[in-house]
Amino acid sequence: MHDTSRGQAPAPPSEQRGCLFALSQPPLMIFLAVIGCLLLFGAAHDLLLL
C-alpha cells in the first residue's frame, strides 16, 4: 500500500500505461497484421515463384 499522507498523490492511471496497453489497441494491431502479411507474401513469392 502506498503512503499518501505526505502530500504526494499517486500518478494518474493514464501515465502508468505501457507497451502492452499500446499493443491492445485495434488500429495498431490491424496495421501490424497488414505489414506482417505483406512481408509474408513477399517472402513466399521470392521463395516459391522466383
Side-chain angles (χ1 to χ4, degrees):
M1 301 264 290
H2 294 291
D3 184 15
T4 58
S5 63
R6 295 184 180 172
Q8 284 200 354
S14 63
E15 293 180 7
Q16 296 176 350
R17 293 177 177 167
C19 185
L20 290 178
F21 176 76
L23 284 178
S24 69
Q25 301 303 308
L28 178 62
M29 291 307 294
I30 292 171
F31 173 74
L32 291 177
V34 168
I35 296 299
C37 287
L38 289 175
L39 289 172
L40 179 68
F41 291 145
H45 178 265
D46 283 346
L47 289 173
L48 300 174
L49 299 177
L50 292 180

